[in-house]
Amino acid sequence: ENKQISFKYFNWNEKKEMVLKHGGERYMVSPWEMTINEEKYYLIAYDGKSGKLKHYRVDKMLDCRITDCKREGKDVTEFLDLGEYTKNMFYMFGTGSTELVRISCPNSLAGVIIDRFGVDISMIKENDERFIAAVHIDISPQFFGWLFGLSSNVRIVSPEWAKNEYKKMLASSLESVE
């Protein structure tokens, strides 16, 4: 109907209870796309307050309503490549803004990198055993977790702040082990 929708959004707590986000305040967004990631459905919508695309797990949306307000964000979404948008996110977590990240990988992980980012990814030979992949991604703790899962042979080359954040996350993880 080319209208905005409103809904309440929740997370689970440790008692397996639904806890409404933003104090139960209704979200109001302009819906544009639906996608599936890791067997979960997501609504991709334009948030007029922030001026950004955001995504919401459909199974965590409550009391959805169509409003009388006209849908916004066509200028942001008309050139949206849904495949690129979701490829840059890790498990649909992130800020919605991407950054060029260079990661150094052993040649044996070329297939893993291509499977994740596609055949068009830039991969440059670093030496006979390694390559550097340049990827546009939304840097998040989920990205760092994915990176860690690939082994200690994979390292962030740039940007420097991402390297430092990854080191902080690794140090914090070590501290949590008793």
Side-chain angles (χ1 to χ4, degrees):
E1 295 182 25
N2 211 26
K3 303 283 186 183
Q4 292 185 41
I5 63 168
S6 72
F7 56 90
K8 293 184 179 188
Y9 201 62
F10 75 91
N11 272 331
W12 294 103
N13 70 13
E14 71 284 355
K15 297 175 188 172
K16 299 182 182 177
E17 301 167 329
M18 289 182 192
V19 178
L20 293 176
K21 294 190 77 173
H22 295 144
E25 198 174 306
R26 296 187 72 78
Y27 288 63
M28 190 154 146
V29 298
S30 297
W32 285 98
E33 298 280 351
M34 292 280 291
T35 190
I36 188 167
N37 186 283
E38 298 291 317
E39 299 182 14
K40 304 285 189 248
Y41 286 96
Y42 291 85
L43 168 70
I44 298 174
Y46 178 77
D47 177 3
K49 284 183 182 178
S50 68
K52 294 182 182 178
L53 281 182
K54 294 187 177 182
H55 47 271
Y56 305 91
R57 277 224 350 229
V58 172
D59 62 317
K60 292 185 172 191
M61 296 167 62
L62 300 172
D63 192 23
C64 295
R65 301 177 188 168
I66 298 173
T67 71
D68 291 329
C69 299
K70 186 178 178 205
R71 187 165 64 158
E72 302 173 329
K74 183 174 176 73
D75 57 325
V76 174
T77 60
E78 68 182 324
F79 299 109
L80 175 66
D81 181 333
L82 190 57
E84 280 297 309
Y85 181 81
T86 57
K87 181 174 73 174
N88 296 336
M89 301 265 177
F90 282 80
Y91 312 108
M92 295 303 290
F93 285 90
T95 62
S97 69
T98 61
E99 176 136 2
L100 180 64
V101 177
R102 289 181 176 82
I103 54 177
S104 173
C105 307
N107 291 343
S108 61
L109 291 180
V112 171
I113 299 300
I114 290 169
D115 286 347
R116 179 65 178 89
F117 298 105
V119 74
D120 293 331
I121 185 173
S122 171
M123 294 170 52
I124 299 168
K125 180 178 177 177
E126 183 177 10
N127 57 41
D128 286 341
E129 290 85 34
R130 304 182 69 78
F131 65 92
I132 294 178
V135 296
H136 288 276
I137 57 160
D138 193 323
I139 299 172
S140 66
Q142 289 70 25
F143 163 66
F144 293 144
W146 174 81
L147 195 66
F148 180 79
L150 294 179
S151 86
S152 60
N153 281 332
V154 178
R155 64 182 183 275
I156 298 172
V157 175
S158 67
E160 196 66 32
W161 72 266
K163 286 170 48 174
N164 293 334
E165 285 299 310
Y166 187 42
K167 287 177 187 176
K168 284 182 200 172
M169 186 173 155
L170 292 172
S172 175
S173 293
L174 278 174
E175 289 174 8
S176 71
V177 178
E178 296 180 14

